[in-house]
Amino acid sequence: EEPGGREEAPQVVDLEQLVPVGGVFHISALRLPPQAQDVGDWTMVELLDVGLEVYPYSPGKAEDGTQEAVQITLRLPDNVIYFKVPVVARLDPAGQWWRTDGISKITYEAEEKSITFSMGGFSTVALLQDAHLNLPYQAWELHPTGVDEGLFTVTAAFATIQIRIKDNQCMLSSVVVEEEEVLSHITGKWMSPLALRAALKRAGVNIFPAEYSPKYVPVPRKVSAREVPGGFSLFVTQVTLCCTGSCCAAAEAGLSKAGSGTAVSEHLTAGSDKDNHWSLLMFDGDKVQHLKLTETSEAFSEELKEESEFHSTLYHMVKDSASNEAMEKVERAGCLFIDSVYQLLLATRVLAYS
């Protein structure tokens, strides 16, 4: 106890900052079930109605008077990825929360995929990971690859994620960590955007900020949802319309601090975006204008391009500068594909966290 008779405050886990990855481990000492005995030509075994019974365990005292600890080694699941040493937490049955106190001597073996730690007894434990360690994004890119098809690439802090989009389905194309592809068990499978989001979060790849994420992620101030007429979702809709059919959109971290910056390029055939000129646009909540800097500029500048016209929405700015053929493809884009792109942009919030 602390001076004055107060108990030390429990080290309760903030589940908005740390999330369980790889499931929950129930660790208990169990009584051995009755063993079979051979009696003559018979093999007899006692049957119990209660199933496996928990063995009551109470830690003893070491020679120095301290409480003896139980050393536990866990084999980590193969279907998840830990980008850093996971935080080991135990479930407090009284308060129904996760705590990190009472756990010591943690040894993490990344190559062997195991973790060893000591506790004062048996308990239910979980391995936690920072929900925001891949934020803010370093870069992102979205471009069409065919009719109602596109490729969405997010370069995060520890991984590069590529997602293919076709109609109302998404497919995880690859997750690359340190030049190595991982999570092969969920790549190459078509699913809905919502199912893909759940699969990535279960696997430990969380690129989906929540409402409370700004408390934990240092993001340069950009145009907030309150400053955009119609809110953030309306601006995402504008970007979605620009990124369907025949236009590309991309952004890099730090591109915009006074507003939301987006790079847009037109390409009518697969792969033609590699040699195209990218137009850098600035949206400050009221209007969209062309910036003077190019994609090869060393530093960001808010200086506008000479004789740059402005529009109230990103969609109308792109429409004003795109070719007729490009806009025809945009207008013919299927509603299911547009909705899938919209869901991914809204879930990842790349416009706010880049």
Side-chain angles (χ1 to χ4, degrees):
E1 292 186 356
E2 295 180 349
R6 292 183 304 163
E7 293 185 358
E8 182 181 357
Q11 300 177 23
V12 179
V13 172
D14 180 2
L15 290 178
E16 291 184 350
Q17 182 179 16
L18 298 172
V19 293
V21 175
V24 174
F25 300 85
H26 300 277
I27 303 174
S28 299
L30 303 176
R31 294 183 183 274
L32 286 175
Q35 302 299 299
Q37 297 182 0
D38 294 328
V39 180
D41 295 333
W42 294 82
T43 299
M44 305 180 66
V45 62
E46 181 183 0
L47 300 179
L48 301 177
D49 296 333
V50 295
L52 294 175
E53 295 182 275
V54 175
Y55 182 83
Y57 173 82
S58 57
K61 296 289 185 179
E63 294 181 356
D64 58 0
T66 60
Q67 181 175 291
E68 290 184 342
V70 177
Q71 180 175 291
I72 298 171
T73 299
L74 296 178
R75 175 75 166 83
L76 304 183
D78 294 324
N79 58 350
V80 300
I81 183 169
Y82 299 95
F83 296 100
K84 292 184 177 181
V85 179
V87 176
V88 184
R90 61 183 180 87
L91 181 64
D92 183 349
Q96 289 298 303
W97 50 45
W98 294 100
R99 297 172 54 165
T100 57
D101 54 337
I103 301 173
S104 60
K105 300 179 181 178
I106 300 175
T107 303
Y108 176 59
E109 300 290 346
E111 294 184 0
E112 288 77 10
K113 302 198 70 172
S114 67
I115 188 167
T116 301
F117 54 92
S118 297
M119 292 195 306
F122 297 103
S123 181
T124 299
V125 301
L127 304 180
L128 311 179
Q129 185 165 249
D130 188 345
H132 306 93
L133 54 76
N134 269 306
L135 298 176
Y137 307 114
Q138 297 180 7
W140 66 274
E141 183 174 331
L142 172 63
H143 65 85
T145 57
V147 178
D148 288 345
E149 296 183 20
L151 180 65
F152 184 38
T153 303
V154 177
T155 303
F158 290 92
T160 299
I161 301 96
Q162 286 195 327
I163 301 172
R164 293 198 171 276
I165 313 167
K166 183 176 182 180
D167 297 327
N168 63 338
Q169 297 286 297
C170 297
M171 180 184 72
L172 182 63
S173 180
S174 66
V175 177
V176 178
V177 179
E178 297 180 351
E179 300 183 354
E180 179 183 355
E181 292 194 11
V182 296
L183 304 180
S184 59
H185 68 287
I186 56 175
T187 57
K189 298 179 180 179
W190 290 100
M191 60 188 77
S192 68
L194 187 61
L196 177 62
R197 177 180 177 179
L200 281 172
K201 292 178 72 173
R202 283 196 303 268
V205 183
N206 189 357
I207 54 172
F208 308 102
E211 294 181 357
Y212 47 77
S213 294
K215 295 191 301 181
Y216 307 99
V217 183
V219 179
R221 183 194 177 279
K222 300 185 181 182
V223 176
S224 69
R226 298 182 182 89
E227 297 169 336
V228 179
F232 182 78
S233 61
L234 179 59
F235 185 48
V236 173
T237 303
Q238 298 174 26
V239 177
T240 301
L241 292 174
C242 295
C243 297
T244 57
S246 61
C247 296
C248 289
E252 293 185 0
L255 179 64
S256 171
K257 295 182 180 179
S260 292
T262 303
V264 179
S265 172
E266 174 184 319
H267 69 106
L268 302 176
T269 59
S272 62
D273 60 305
K274 296 180 180 179
D275 301 323
N276 272 16
H277 172 71
W278 290 79
S279 297
L280 303 184
L281 309 177
M282 168 69 78
F283 179 66
D284 63 3
D286 296 320
K287 58 185 180 298
V288 183
Q289 290 182 279
H290 283 274
L291 292 173
K292 186 176 181 179
L293 79 163
T294 66
E295 63 271 22
T296 58
S297 299
E298 295 183 358
F300 174 78
S301 172
E302 298 180 27
E303 186 178 356
L304 298 176
K305 188 177 180 180
E306 296 180 1
E307 300 181 356
S308 172
E309 297 183 358
F310 69 87
H311 290 270
S312 59
T313 67
L314 178 64
Y315 173 75
H316 287 91
M317 170 62 82
V318 174
K319 183 179 180 180
D320 185 57
S321 58
S323 66
N324 292 334
E325 185 179 359
M327 291 312 301
E328 286 179 3
K329 289 192 174 184
V330 170
E331 293 171 359
R332 290 201 306 265
C335 58
L336 295 178
F337 174 68
I338 292 176
D339 182 65
S340 296
V341 174
Y342 174 82
Q343 289 188 54
L344 285 177
L345 288 177
L346 198 61
T348 55
R349 301 181 73 87
V350 289
L351 297 169
Y353 288 89
S354 296

